[in-house]
Amino acid sequence: MQVYENLKETLVSRQDIYAGKILNVHVDQVRLPNGKAAVREVVDHCPCVAIVALDDENNVLTVTQYRYAFDKALLEIPAGKLEPGEDPASGALRELKEETGAVPDTFTPMGKLIPSSGCLSEELYLFLARGLHMENTHPDEDEFLVQERIPFDEMVHRCVRGEIEDGKTIAAVLKTKILLNL
């Protein structure tokens, strides 16, 4: 068994740069394992959830929305931020219903991923929803979504061919493929 304690960096000082609605930015001075100093720029982000929702014909419920940081619309699975203190499963069920109107009979956790470990503290919880019953959507007031159902096999091919660029969607779709042996 390999020991990793000798990799730990120690916080020396922190400078808060920005405090926003969904993220905070700080610059930390750290002491490296070899005793030297280094700078770490960190974006703290609230935890999030993402859901692969499969209907009875194995279509994936997707949403396309404009992503300002990339100046384009991206095809994604339903996802969103957790409210402070909110359980990931409860938040995922809430986001799924808000964005697609879907309420599942079965809801399976598929683990957690770290989207960008070099500078972003976000943790993203993945879920699989099946046995969907459709109700009304309730997107956030600043959320403009185009909903679509795409065959699961097509989603897998789009992920592999690079047509889908959203990391959470790629990870969750490919994880679903392996878990369900589809």
Side-chain angles (χ1 to χ4, degrees):
M1 182 171 158
Q2 201 168 9
V3 179
Y4 297 108
E5 271 118 47
N6 61 344
L7 299 176
K8 183 163 175 50
E9 299 176 358
T10 306
L11 177 66
V12 175
S13 66
R14 171 168 292 166
Q15 179 186 6
D16 293 322
I17 303 297
Y18 175 78
K21 194 168 93 171
I22 64 167
L23 60 85
N24 299 320
V25 179
H26 55 90
V27 176
D28 293 351
Q29 302 293 323
V30 300
R31 179 87 42 229
L32 299 174
N34 66 1
K36 294 186 178 183
V39 174
R40 299 292 182 244
E41 299 172 342
V42 179
V43 177
D44 287 324
H45 191 282
C46 58
C48 294
V49 293
I51 309 96
V52 173
L54 288 175
D55 68 14
D56 292 338
E57 284 129 29
N58 273 349
N59 294 308
V60 180
L61 276 60
T62 65
V63 294
T64 298
Q65 59 184 317
Y66 178 79
R67 292 301 194 177
Y68 182 82
F70 295 96
D71 190 27
K72 63 181 170 180
L74 294 177
L75 177 79
E76 306 174 17
I77 57 174
K81 304 180 305 285
L82 290 177
E83 300 297 331
E86 186 176 30
D87 170 70
S90 299
L93 287 167
R94 175 184 51 75
E95 285 292 339
L96 179 62
K97 185 167 186 319
E98 284 177 6
E99 292 188 4
T100 68
V103 178
D105 285 335
T106 60
F107 201 62
T108 308
M110 294 196 300
K112 174 179 76 171
L113 70 92
I114 297 171
S116 183
S117 61
C119 63
L120 180 63
S121 71
E122 179 183 358
E123 296 177 316
L124 183 61
Y125 297 87
L126 304 176
F127 293 88
L128 172 62
R130 300 187 88 181
L132 306 179
H133 306 277
M134 302 309 292
E135 299 180 3
N136 292 329
T137 63
H138 302 284
D140 296 336
E141 65 181 33
D142 65 347
E143 211 168 29
F144 299 91
L145 308 171
V146 175
Q147 300 166 355
E148 191 176 356
R149 291 181 188 225
I150 299 174
F152 183 76
D153 287 342
E154 183 179 334
M155 285 292 290
V156 170
H157 292 299
R158 286 186 186 187
C159 288
V160 172
R161 289 191 306 253
E163 295 170 20
I164 294 176
E165 298 176 283
D166 178 61
K168 69 185 172 296
T169 299
I170 295 166
V173 166
L174 298 180
K175 196 168 211 178
T176 298
K177 178 168 181 55
I178 292 169
L179 289 174
L180 296 181
N181 199 26
L182 292 174

